[in-house]
């Protein structure tokens, strides 16, 4: 099984931390980085190869990860000369990727079973399968249901629940076929194009732990709770410092 990790972002929302370190190398606790945790997980789920898409402070990621032998993985790299957004880095890999593969952002902590997601994607036949988590949002006002100028319903400060993308996907190489290498292209654009083509993406609902390290408060929370978090995320062999 093969995975592509998108690790080229500048981590603007995490500045000043990310002026010195790329976001995937941000430490969680004393002995692990985000990327180290992800690679440990992928290896434990049976993945054998990984492509790292790098840009911002990419040489630091290369120096830390190397060829992947530490994890029993074969790791190669694709380096952006210009920012290509979230999906654009994959277009230059169309001839080397397997028919079905995993794609994920490099700033995610989750206990999602990546192998099961990829297996479900392969069996489902969609060009794209999106891992989703339920997100709740409380409305701080009374919400009115209105039809033709009349109130037909009322909800006092309702809590709305909706599925959001976790930043982890099962993907088929055919999803990339229409696009030329070097084209900056986002995940949102890919989803909209697939919908326009009638190739509706599938979902993989997940109710376990998920944290997108996008904001300083998310990063602080991960470190504050790392003592209880790491045993959930890491395979047993990786819990001790090296």
């Amino acid at each position: 099984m093969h995975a592509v990790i998108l690790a080229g972002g500048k981590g603007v929302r995490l500045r000043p931390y990310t002026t010195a370190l790329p976001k995937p190398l941000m430490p969680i606790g004393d002995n692990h980085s985000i990327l180290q945790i992800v690679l440990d997980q992928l290896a434990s789920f049976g993945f054998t190869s990984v492509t790292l898409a790098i840009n911002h402070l990419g040489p630091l990621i290369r120096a830390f990860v190397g060829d992947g032998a530490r994890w029993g993985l074969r790791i190669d790299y694709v380096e952006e000369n210009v920012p290509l957004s979230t999906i654009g880095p994959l277009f230059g890999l169309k001839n080397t990727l397997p028919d079905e593969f995993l794609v994920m952002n490099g700033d995610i902590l989750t206990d999602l079973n990546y192998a099961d997601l990829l297996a479900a994607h392969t069996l489902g036949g969609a060009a794209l399968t999106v891992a989703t988590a339920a997100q709740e949002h409380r409305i701080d006002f009374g919400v009115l249901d209105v039809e033709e100028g009349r109130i037909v319903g009322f909800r006092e400060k309702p809590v709305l629940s909706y599925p959001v993308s976790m930043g982890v996907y099962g993907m088929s190489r055919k999803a990339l076929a229409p696009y030329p290498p070097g084209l900056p292209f986002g995940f949102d654009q890919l989803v909209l194009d697939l919908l326009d083509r009638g190739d509706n993406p599938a979902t993989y609902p997940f109710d376990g732990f998920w944290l997108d390290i996008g904001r300083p408060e998310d990063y602080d929370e991960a470190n504050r709770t790392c003592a209880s978090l790491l045993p959930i995320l890491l395979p047993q062999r990786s819990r001790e410092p090296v």
Side-chain angles (χ1 to χ4, degrees):
M1 292 185 291
H2 185 78
V4 179
I5 301 176
L6 304 171
K10 293 184 177 181
V12 173
R13 290 181 297 165
L14 270 180
R15 288 176 178 168
Y17 300 133
T18 49
T19 57
L21 280 176
K23 187 159 52 169
L25 294 188
M26 296 288 292
I28 303 297
D30 295 330
N31 301 303
H32 299 88
S33 67
I34 299 170
L35 183 57
Q36 181 180 349
I37 292 169
V38 170
L39 293 174
D40 279 331
Q41 291 176 320
L42 290 171
S44 73
F45 284 127
F47 284 78
T48 57
S49 57
V50 173
T51 297
L52 278 166
I54 58 175
N55 185 351
H56 176 65
L57 300 176
L60 292 181
I61 295 177
R62 282 182 182 266
F64 177 76
V65 175
D67 63 2
R70 172 180 171 186
W71 292 273
L73 297 167
R74 298 189 308 275
I75 294 182
D76 59 12
Y77 300 85
V78 56
E79 188 159 5
E80 306 170 21
N81 295 320
V82 295
L84 296 177
S85 193
T86 47
I87 299 298
L90 302 177
F91 297 157
L93 303 173
K94 287 187 292 185
N95 295 327
T96 59
L97 288 169
D99 289 339
E100 317 291 342
F101 54 95
L102 185 84
V103 181
M104 64 179 297
N105 296 339
D107 57 358
I108 293 170
L109 295 177
T110 179
D111 61 345
L112 172 71
N113 185 323
Y114 300 118
D116 191 68
L117 166 61
L118 185 55
H121 165 73
T122 302
L123 289 173
L128 176 70
T129 301
V130 181
T132 64
Q135 187 82 4
E136 291 190 344
H137 178 67
R138 177 177 293 277
I139 306 297
D140 291 331
F141 305 94
V143 174
L144 306 176
D145 299 318
V146 178
E147 294 180 5
E148 298 181 355
R150 297 282 185 170
I151 296 173
V152 297
F154 176 80
R155 290 163 289 160
E156 176 64 20
K157 298 181 179 178
V159 176
L160 305 180
S161 179
Y162 43 89
V164 300
S165 170
M166 294 172 56
V168 188
Y169 324 109
M171 188 175 291
S172 300
R173 191 169 55 173
K174 64 183 179 181
L176 308 176
Y179 309 106
L183 175 68
F185 207 76
F187 168 74
D188 55 336
Q189 294 171 283
L190 178 63
V191 170
L192 291 172
D193 273 7
L194 289 171
L195 292 174
D196 285 343
R197 296 201 295 266
D199 192 356
N200 292 43
T203 61
Y204 182 92
F206 177 68
D207 61 2
F209 177 81
W210 170 62
L211 181 63
D212 182 337
I213 310 290
R215 304 168 301 172
E217 52 264 39
D218 300 323
Y219 178 64
D220 292 342
E221 175 68 12
N223 275 285
R224 186 183 66 80
T225 60
C226 69
S228 59
L229 189 57
L230 290 177
I232 296 172
L233 298 177
L234 285 171
Q236 181 64 45
R237 63 177 175 78
S238 305
R239 295 178 188 173
E240 298 299 326
V242 295

